[in-house]
Amino acid sequence: MAIVIRGGTVINADNSVRADVLIEGEKIVAVGPDLDVPAGAEVIEAGGCNVMPGGIDPHTHMQLPFMGTRVVDDFYTGTVAGATGGTTMIIDFVIPDGSLIDAVATWQERAAISATDFGFHVAITGWNEKVSQEMAVVTNEHGINSYKFFMAYKNAIMVSDEELIAGFSRCRDLGAIAAVHAETGELVFQLQQELLKKGITGPEGHPQSRPSEVEGEAADRAIRIAEVLGVPLYIVHIGAQEASDAVTRARLRGQRVFGETLAGFLTVDDSVYYDKDWDFAASHVMSPCFKPKGHPEALWKALQAGNLQVIGTDHCTFNVEQKRMGLEDFTKIPNGTGGIEDRMSIVWQLGVNSGLITPNEFVAATSTNAARIFNIFPQKGAIRVGADADVIVFDPEKSKTISAKTHHQKNDFNVFEGREVRGLTVHTLSRGNHIYADGDIRATKGKGQYVPRKPFGEAYQGMQHRDRIANARKIDR
Ligand code: URP
Ligand code: ZN
Ligand code: ZN
């Protein structure tokens, strides 16, 4: 059945225009003023509303086994929560414990219940010939063009510089994007031991073992390694000004480096870790951690300047009871917080309503830029003819107060608790399916589809680093 979204303002990353949107099947087939309504079509009235590309959250962890427990949101509850907030695609992290190919199969099984579309990044947690060979299969046969390297979580999934360098080179050969969790894991580990020795066992030990320089050092190191090897680099979950500045400096040198921050990092500061309520403080434990005042403001400026391009969530939900695994030792508190449901409204409230970013920049940071970087644009990230009909109707005047009591996420805590947001998604369409209508969830388990992503995308345009390095060496001589 056709759907017409009528009378709204269509907001893309590059322009805003009053137009109707006609959807047939999974695709957008017309965008323009006063479109004819085909017989039998469903009409969604969007007067006074914005019609925008569905959000893409490029950083989620659904159903992840992590730190001795498991994330509570599965691919269904997590994507439904996202859909109620206006997110229509996630890119989740496959974290292998052995074969990459087996791990991708496991994630495909888990994700088969998704309500909206999904893709995967794969984490590289060690290095050998098999990993190298499997990366080629994963990239060329499984449609995954991005790999995450953890520079933190020592004694678990952290990689050494040797492994990082081998993995980055392989990404370059395959046309994949290297992504890093930028924290100096060795330094974090040493600081954790010192704090525990001093008897600091509570959640305040978490930020104390992760000063912002930890992010800055790792970001600088990863950027320089990527520069020499000529691989595009994506730094996930940037919370510290130092890491953001490192991205800015690299981009000014002409390097292909992209920065992702999180809705949470733009909103919350580290004072939460010093709250007297242990459960409250521990429920904010994630890595990187929330940073002191001044950092969120710096991240907003970097977004305004275009130096950071993407806002994700790192949606990784645990219940308070799970956080209590670290009652005696903050290093054992499962790391992760949620955010997929509220990302769009929080960013609209703090970014657009305050005048820091424009509605077009909002679309770029919550959807289009991720689509471009991960090579699925314009299938995703745009309201245009031929694109997937992942569309939201967003009422900029409608408001609510965020609360774990009313959210759809499965966890019992919300880092945005009590925040008033003006600007809510009222309709969500996923590949032409009207899965959310003003409070009414019509999503179906398993309707979401896997979105394969080809290598050598836009991020590789102009990447002639090998030549550049060779030339630079000639000049040096
Ligand atoms: O605390 C976090 N971020 N947990 C999820 C794993 C990661 O580092 O992204
Ligand atoms: Zn991470
Ligand atoms: Zn993460």
Side-chain angles (χ1 to χ4, degrees):
M1 184 182 58
I3 299 177
V4 178
I5 303 175
R6 191 161 62 183
T9 303
V10 173
I11 301 183
N12 275 307
D14 56 352
N15 70 347
S16 305
V17 59
R18 291 292 296 274
D20 301 342
V21 179
L22 173 62
I23 292 157
E24 274 171 14
E26 296 185 353
K27 298 285 181 189
I28 296 170
V29 296
V31 180
D34 305 320
L35 295 179
D36 290 336
V37 179
E42 177 187 350
V43 176
I44 299 173
E45 296 294 352
C49 290
N50 302 326
V51 180
M52 302 191 282
I56 299 172
D57 188 342
H59 193 143
T60 67
H61 302 279
M62 304 302 176
Q63 243 169 295
L64 175 72
F66 195 53
M67 293 184 73
T69 184
R70 181 181 282 266
V71 165
V72 292
D73 268 311
D74 62 26
F75 277 85
Y76 180 67
T77 62
T79 51
V80 166
T84 65
T87 290
T88 54
M89 181 175 169
I90 60 170
I91 311 183
D92 200 85
F93 287 87
V94 174
I95 305 192
D97 180 19
S99 159
L100 270 50
I101 293 166
D102 291 351
V104 171
T106 301
W107 254 258
Q108 286 285 12
E109 274 167 37
R110 290 182 189 157
I113 57 173
S114 284
T116 63
D117 284 4
F118 58 94
F120 299 128
H121 315 278
V122 169
I124 300 300
T125 59
W127 193 255
N128 56 44
E129 191 47 38
K130 186 173 177 220
V131 171
S132 175
Q133 281 172 14
E134 287 197 333
M135 281 176 74
V137 178
V138 164
T139 306
N140 297 320
E141 295 174 28
H142 294 264
I144 293 171
N145 66 18
S146 45
Y147 293 90
K148 177 175 176 183
F149 298 80
F150 288 91
M151 299 172 83
Y153 302 120
K154 181 177 155 79
N155 295 329
I157 50 180
M158 180 170 113
V159 288
S160 65
D161 280 0
E162 184 182 358
E163 292 166 323
L164 187 85
I165 289 166
F168 275 23
S169 294
R170 189 66 173 142
C171 286
R172 176 63 184 84
D173 293 341
L174 294 170
I177 300 194
V180 287
H181 173 131
E183 288 188 301
T184 312
E186 187 60 48
L187 183 52
V188 170
F189 181 76
Q190 299 293 336
L191 293 173
Q192 286 174 334
Q193 304 316 305
E194 276 175 29
L195 288 159
L196 289 172
K197 244 187 242 158
K198 279 192 210 151
I200 297 171
T201 57
E204 72 279 11
H206 186 65
Q208 289 174 23
S209 61
R210 301 181 118 90
S212 56
E213 292 83 355
V214 157
E215 270 194 62
E217 189 283 326
D220 277 327
R221 185 158 32 105
I223 286 169
R224 287 303 191 180
I225 292 170
E227 182 181 30
V228 171
L229 297 177
V231 64
L233 180 68
Y234 181 85
I235 305 192
V236 305
H237 53 39
I238 291 177
Q241 176 167 8
E242 286 87 337
S244 172
D245 287 351
V247 173
T248 303
R249 286 193 296 273
R251 290 173 68 87
L252 286 171
R253 290 197 298 272
Q255 198 180 334
R256 289 269 187 221
V257 177
F258 306 97
E260 167 200 279
T261 188
L262 307 179
F265 286 162
L266 292 163
T267 312
V268 177
D269 64 54
D270 72 344
S271 57
V272 291
Y273 297 118
Y274 297 90
D275 198 281
K276 285 195 172 57
D277 178 347
W278 190 96
D279 287 345
F280 177 87
S283 292
H284 289 89
V285 166
M286 65 171 296
S287 297
C289 59
F290 294 102
K291 294 294 186 295
K293 278 193 183 27
H295 290 267
E297 293 78 2
L299 298 177
W300 275 114
K301 285 189 184 143
L303 280 164
Q304 286 181 295
N307 294 323
L308 296 180
Q309 296 75 41
V310 175
I311 305 173
T313 61
D314 199 358
H315 187 79
C316 184
T317 47
F318 298 106
N319 282 332
V320 172
E321 193 53 46
Q322 292 168 290
K323 294 280 181 179
R324 289 189 187 146
M325 289 168 68
L327 263 177
E328 309 293 329
D329 175 349
F330 70 87
T331 67
K332 297 198 165 62
I333 301 170
N335 283 204
T337 61
I340 194 168
E341 182 160 347
D342 302 308
R343 175 181 68 132
M344 303 287 270
S345 286
I346 278 284
V347 175
W348 188 272
Q349 171 67 25
L350 299 182
V352 179
N353 288 344
S354 68
L356 287 176
I357 58 172
T358 66
N360 306 96
E361 287 166 340
F362 168 88
V363 169
T366 58
S367 180
T368 313
N369 289 348
R372 298 191 92 108
I373 293 166
F374 296 111
N375 205 19
I376 44 173
F377 181 85
Q379 177 192 355
K380 304 289 187 190
I383 305 279
R384 63 157 81 168
V385 172
D388 284 354
D390 287 1
V391 182
I392 62 170
V393 178
F394 190 88
D395 185 341
E397 294 308 327
K398 202 163 177 171
S399 57
K400 74 168 184 186
T401 304
I402 295 173
S403 175
K405 291 193 185 77
T406 48
H407 73 198
H408 302 87
Q409 297 170 184
K410 222 173 157 189
N411 61 325
D412 55 9
F413 188 84
N414 193 312
V415 292
F416 305 117
E417 184 74 34
R419 284 180 196 269
E420 173 97 8
V421 284
R422 182 165 51 83
L424 298 182
T425 297
V426 286
H427 294 279
T428 304
L429 285 82
S430 166
R431 278 192 195 256
N433 293 305
H434 191 181
I435 62 171
Y436 178 71
D438 212 1
D440 179 19
I441 297 171
R442 306 165 173 183
T444 311
K445 258 189 186 168
K447 266 274 187 186
Q449 290 182 30
Y450 177 62
V451 182
R453 299 176 293 114
K454 289 197 169 75
F456 291 110
E458 216 175 276
Y460 270 84
Q461 296 291 309
M463 284 290 289
Q464 287 135 350
H465 275 63
R466 290 190 168 164
D467 294 349
R468 275 174 49 185
I469 290 164
N471 287 338
R473 289 202 184 115
K474 273 184 221 143
I475 292 163
D476 280 355
R477 265 187 254 120

